[in-house]
Amino acid sequence: MALRRLLLIAAALAAATAPAAAFYLPGLAPVNFCEAGKEKPECKSGIELFVNRLDSVESVLPYEYTAFDFCQAEGKKRPSENLGQVLFGERIEPSPYRFTFNKKETCKSVCTKTYDTTKPEDKQKLDFLKKSMLLNYQHHWIVDNMPVTWCYDVEDGQRFCNPGFPIGCYITEDGRPKDACVINSEFHEKDTFYIFNHVDIKIYYHVVENEALGARLVAAKLEPKSYKHTHPDNPDCSGVPMDISNKASGEVKIAYTYSVTFHEEKNIRWASRWDYILESMPHTHIQWFSIMNSLVIVLFLSGMVAMIMLRTLHKDIARYNQMDSTEDAQEEFGWKLVHGDIFRPPRKGMLLSVFLGSGTQILIMTFVTLFFACLGFLSPANRGALMTCAVVLWVLLGTPAGYVAARFYKSFGGEKWKTNVLLTSFLCPGIVFADFFIMNLILWGEGSSAAIPFGTLVAILALWFCISVPLTFIGAYFGFKKNAIEHPVRTNQIPRQIPEQSFYTKPLPGIIMGGILPFGCIFIQLFFILNSIWSHQMYYMFGFLFLVFIILVITCSEATILLCYFHLCAEDYHWQWRSFLTSGFTAVYFLIYAIHYFFSKLQITGTASTILYFGYTMIMVLIFFLFTGTIGFFACFWFVTKIYSVVKVD
């Protein structure tokens, strides 16, 4: 597991002396805590609790903690977020909950909120709170850069640790408990909301071997509870739960309290403190066998394809090269016949070259991001790092995009180089940005925390226009400056007529068939990725994902080469667009799977959430289309160049 490797590295570093802190991965240096009165420069007693945005599996719209009328931290500075956190809608803020290491607190009051339902402003706040409970919105709290989890038993004796806990829950008009209301039999009043206004927090720590350094926190768990505090100024955390009737009128008082206890945990080291969360994730254990099974099948198919191709091609080349007489030459058949047309420029060569440029940019970006993720630099502990890394890489990879687009456009005989470089810079990124901007407008309208602030939008545009576009122009300059790609055979002046094709060698059936095999090797990982995006589960299996990425590249290449060979044998030489679309069609299967996932796995409600789901899915589908299509084209280009360079042509 990549994350475990990372944390072992961090553990080894943690054992080093203080000056070695320079070697820690960003944001992953351990913090030492000690009891009040024993503080030192390397050891502090105060523990801060931070709050993140609240989200729900029933809505795509996350909200900031301050959007709700909870207890606020007065005058505390908000920690700065990186680009990835802002793009993912994370909004980390200080909270009024503060603890002192190893100091037990029981039923400590935080604040009391009073709502007068006759006042429109108070009624609006209370209604927003009710709506969020109805949609099962979840708090996400952070202590020492680690999620505060709510652990509970699920089926088969498994224990699931959720890195969030609900605001409250609802009992329907027919008395059916929704979501978290099943945990307490006292939640039984019909058409009533129960708010979790008290939390029992348990913080686990591990004493460092060198005791002079103090202790490190290894887990933070809580249990949400509901109490109707009769004396909010002097709460005792007992009695009936805090209920808010849906038809409540008059004054409603909600007192927020907490208890905290500290427990020494000798078995969990700081280096492996995330393991208990990751190991409890649903489906993690079930899917290992499925993933391995998928990899074995794909590798077996790849081996079969490679063997058939090599054997058949070897015989073809040997046969063609043994033909000495003109009589034999007249009886030529198969792919050698189209040697005079194989490198004929495709229709819409401009668009194809632009797609290839953007696809190359995405391909390199994906490879480098996954490589860093495998090394552990982009773990869940390093918040927003994955997205930041991807965006920065995309911006810096403008040069290869411009170079590839210009090189192929020139080889297709194109002369409008200015149009080519402008389209490479603006077409695909422009479509993605336009979709993203429309989604952002919807989020703004809904007041969601996922709405990108105006300043960040300007920063993204500045990265695009001031860094990516100039780099694309530089790449295009070098691409056009180089001589056109030399082909192993000359192109005839008069195009050869393509004979009548059978059903399976026609373009559409081949393209539809070509996407099945690559999709087959990714759909299990796709389930995990969609879960991490829409069901707010952590994704950490980057080692497997990198392996699946490599297998996807191999499968796309081999499926495209195989179909390309069949079409050349049928004397159809229009391979350029077909090779791009054959593996690019995997994106259509991705879209179909995303639609199936939406209706079968998600409980998303509301028009805005549905539009957002499909809007963001379309961005992913376009990126995946360019990525897989480019792999297919390059594989086919290499294959065609290779076979026509080894066969003798008169």
Side-chain angles (χ1 to χ4, degrees):
M1 200 192 307
L3 180 67
R4 204 169 273 172
R5 264 202 313 278
L6 150 77
L7 292 170
L8 287 170
I9 294 167
L13 290 167
T17 54
F23 296 107
Y24 285 121
L25 298 176
L28 291 172
V31 179
N32 299 314
F33 293 93
C34 44
E35 292 176 22
K38 298 180 183 177
E39 296 98 331
K40 302 184 194 109
E42 70 274 11
C43 173
K44 59 180 187 176
S45 62
I47 300 171
E48 279 190 274
L49 187 144
F50 290 95
V51 288
N52 204 339
R53 53 100 187 261
L54 287 88
D55 55 34
S56 162
V57 292
E58 295 179 35
S59 172
V60 177
L61 304 164
Y63 289 100
E64 289 186 49
Y65 181 82
T66 49
F68 299 86
D69 193 35
F70 298 131
C71 304
Q72 307 294 333
E74 297 300 327
K76 286 188 187 175
K77 196 184 170 192
R78 180 177 176 160
S80 57
E81 285 125 0
N82 59 39
L83 181 63
Q85 285 175 289
V86 175
L87 290 176
F88 268 130
E90 286 200 14
R91 300 289 183 271
I92 297 173
E93 295 171 39
S95 79
Y97 299 84
R98 272 189 76 84
F99 320 124
T100 303
F101 179 71
N102 230 353
K103 184 185 176 187
K104 184 180 176 183
E105 298 276 10
T106 307
C107 203
K108 187 164 183 181
S109 176
V110 185
C111 75
T112 303
K113 293 286 180 181
T114 307
Y115 304 95
D116 184 352
T117 51
T118 58
K119 292 179 182 174
E121 191 187 346
D122 283 8
K123 191 176 187 308
Q124 191 181 357
K125 286 178 182 176
L126 194 61
D127 286 347
F128 187 58
L129 207 56
K130 287 178 185 175
K131 187 187 172 188
S132 58
M133 286 190 268
L134 191 64
L135 290 172
N136 196 26
Y137 269 83
Q138 309 248 329
H139 285 280
H140 293 281
W141 288 3
I142 301 160
V143 164
D144 191 30
N145 197 31
M146 191 174 55
V148 182
T149 57
W150 176 34
C151 298
Y152 50 87
D153 293 321
V154 288
E155 68 271 3
D156 305 328
Q158 295 258 328
R159 194 158 178 77
F160 174 54
C161 288
N162 184 359
F165 69 95
I167 296 173
C169 60
Y170 176 61
I171 303 285
T172 60
E173 290 178 359
D174 56 0
R176 187 171 51 84
K178 270 194 79 186
D179 304 312
C181 275
V182 296
I183 64 171
N184 192 337
S185 58
E186 289 184 29
F187 299 165
H188 53 70
E189 293 289 331
K190 293 179 182 180
D191 195 20
T192 301
F193 294 92
Y194 289 91
I195 188 163
F196 294 122
N197 58 336
H198 174 85
V199 282
D200 283 335
I201 302 169
K202 289 182 181 177
I203 295 176
Y204 297 85
Y205 63 91
H206 175 86
V207 177
V208 185
E209 281 77 359
N210 180 0
E211 287 187 26
L213 288 175
R216 288 175 187 160
L217 307 188
V218 291
K221 298 178 184 179
L222 63 70
E223 204 171 323
K225 292 186 177 174
S226 181
Y227 295 117
K228 195 170 205 167
H229 299 295
T230 44
H231 305 289
D233 301 329
N234 186 23
D236 60 354
C237 296
S238 62
V240 295
M242 180 68 217
D243 58 335
I244 306 166
S245 172
N246 206 7
K247 300 179 180 71
S249 58
E251 195 176 71
V252 176
K253 269 191 179 182
I254 304 171
Y256 291 92
T257 55
Y258 73 91
S259 300
V260 62
T261 54
F262 289 83
H263 307 267
E264 187 176 353
E265 177 58 79
K266 292 180 179 176
N267 299 325
I268 303 173
R269 297 178 65 83
W270 185 88
S272 53
R273 64 184 190 158
W274 282 73
D275 285 11
Y276 84 97
I277 305 170
L278 303 178
E279 284 167 5
S280 80
M281 285 290 174
H283 313 294
T284 310
H285 305 293
I286 309 161
Q287 296 297 340
W288 293 121
F289 177 73
S290 302
I291 293 168
M292 289 306 297
N293 193 31
S294 170
L295 297 181
V296 168
I297 290 167
V298 169
L299 286 171
F300 174 72
L301 285 169
S302 301
M304 291 283 286
V305 169
M307 194 171 70
I308 292 163
M309 292 301 306
L310 289 170
R311 286 189 64 180
T312 313
L313 266 176
H314 188 70
K315 282 181 184 172
D316 282 353
I317 291 163
R319 188 177 76 245
Y320 288 142
N321 288 343
Q322 282 167 3
M323 289 181 180
D324 297 325
S325 66
T326 48
E327 285 176 29
D328 285 345
Q330 282 170 358
E331 292 171 16
E332 275 183 19
F333 61 92
W335 53 266
K336 191 184 175 185
L337 275 178
V338 294
H339 67 78
D341 297 276
I342 193 69
F343 292 107
R344 192 173 296 287
R347 297 189 198 97
K348 302 275 190 294
M350 170 79 82
L351 187 62
L352 181 59
S353 64
V354 167
F355 280 178
L356 290 171
S358 295
T360 305
Q361 197 173 6
I362 294 161
L363 182 63
I364 302 169
M365 177 197 83
T366 310
F367 177 80
V368 177
T369 304
L370 287 178
F371 182 72
F372 278 132
C374 276
L375 294 177
F377 285 97
L378 312 177
S379 75
N382 204 354
R383 297 169 195 283
L386 189 75
M387 194 67 176
T388 307
C389 176
V391 171
V392 170
L393 279 170
W394 178 83
V395 168
L396 297 176
L397 288 166
T399 307
Y403 180 81
V404 168
R407 199 100 170 79
F408 277 100
Y409 183 60
K410 193 174 180 180
S411 78
F412 295 157
E415 292 171 0
K416 296 178 185 171
W417 65 271
K418 288 177 186 170
T419 312
N420 179 262
V421 72
L422 284 169
L423 282 173
T424 307
S425 302
F426 296 111
L427 180 66
C428 297
I431 293 168
V432 171
F433 186 80
D435 187 328
F436 183 72
F437 185 71
I438 293 164
M439 297 303 108
N440 208 46
L441 285 176
I442 295 169
L443 290 165
W444 264 336
E446 296 286 334
S448 170
S449 78
I452 310 301
F454 183 72
T456 309
L457 271 181
V458 172
I460 292 168
L461 285 170
L463 285 171
W464 179 16
F465 284 94
C466 302
I467 301 174
S468 183
V469 172
L471 286 173
T472 309
F473 272 78
I474 292 166
Y477 170 76
F478 286 109
F480 278 114
K481 206 175 174 190
K482 285 198 82 167
N483 293 330
I485 299 166
E486 279 190 32
H487 300 309
V489 287
R490 284 197 311 274
T491 301
N492 294 341
Q493 287 184 333
I494 302 164
R496 179 187 175 84
Q497 192 176 355
I498 297 168
E500 184 68 34
Q501 298 291 304
S502 60
F503 173 74
Y504 73 92
T505 56
K506 283 181 178 169
L508 199 60
I511 288 167
I512 292 167
M513 282 190 295
I516 293 172
L517 196 62
F519 179 75
C521 78
I522 61 153
F523 81 96
I524 290 173
Q525 282 299 321
L526 204 56
F527 172 76
F528 283 120
I529 292 165
L530 291 175
N531 260 4
S532 76
I533 297 169
W534 303 115
S535 297
H536 314 294
Q537 291 177 11
M538 285 176 201
Y539 188 88
Y540 62 96
M541 293 184 287
F542 293 113
F544 262 117
L545 188 60
F546 190 68
L547 190 58
V548 168
F549 167 78
I550 300 297
I551 283 177
L552 175 65
V553 171
I554 295 167
T555 318
C556 278
S557 306
E558 288 179 342
T560 312
I561 288 170
L562 189 63
L563 287 159
C564 180
Y565 175 72
F566 290 149
H567 290 122
L568 293 180
C569 287
E571 298 175 32
D572 184 350
Y573 52 82
H574 295 309
W575 61 273
Q576 291 99 332
W577 268 112
R578 189 182 286 145
S579 63
F580 190 91
L581 295 172
T582 298
S583 51
F585 204 80
T586 311
V588 177
Y589 291 110
F590 178 176
L591 177 61
I592 293 164
Y593 184 79
I595 293 167
H596 161 75
Y597 180 84
F598 178 81
F599 288 108
S600 66
K601 297 283 188 293
L602 297 179
Q603 304 112 40
I604 287 175
T605 54
T607 314
S609 291
T610 307
I611 294 169
L612 287 163
Y613 176 85
F614 287 106
Y616 286 129
T617 298
M618 291 317 291
I619 293 176
M620 290 190 276
V621 167
L622 174 65
I623 290 169
F624 197 66
F625 169 70
L626 294 169
F627 162 70
T628 49
T630 303
I631 295 166
F633 178 88
F634 281 138
C636 210
F637 179 74
W638 170 83
F639 169 72
V640 167
T641 307
K642 199 81 179 160
I643 63 171
Y644 285 98
S645 62
V646 294
V647 71
K648 283 191 285 187
V649 176
D650 298 328

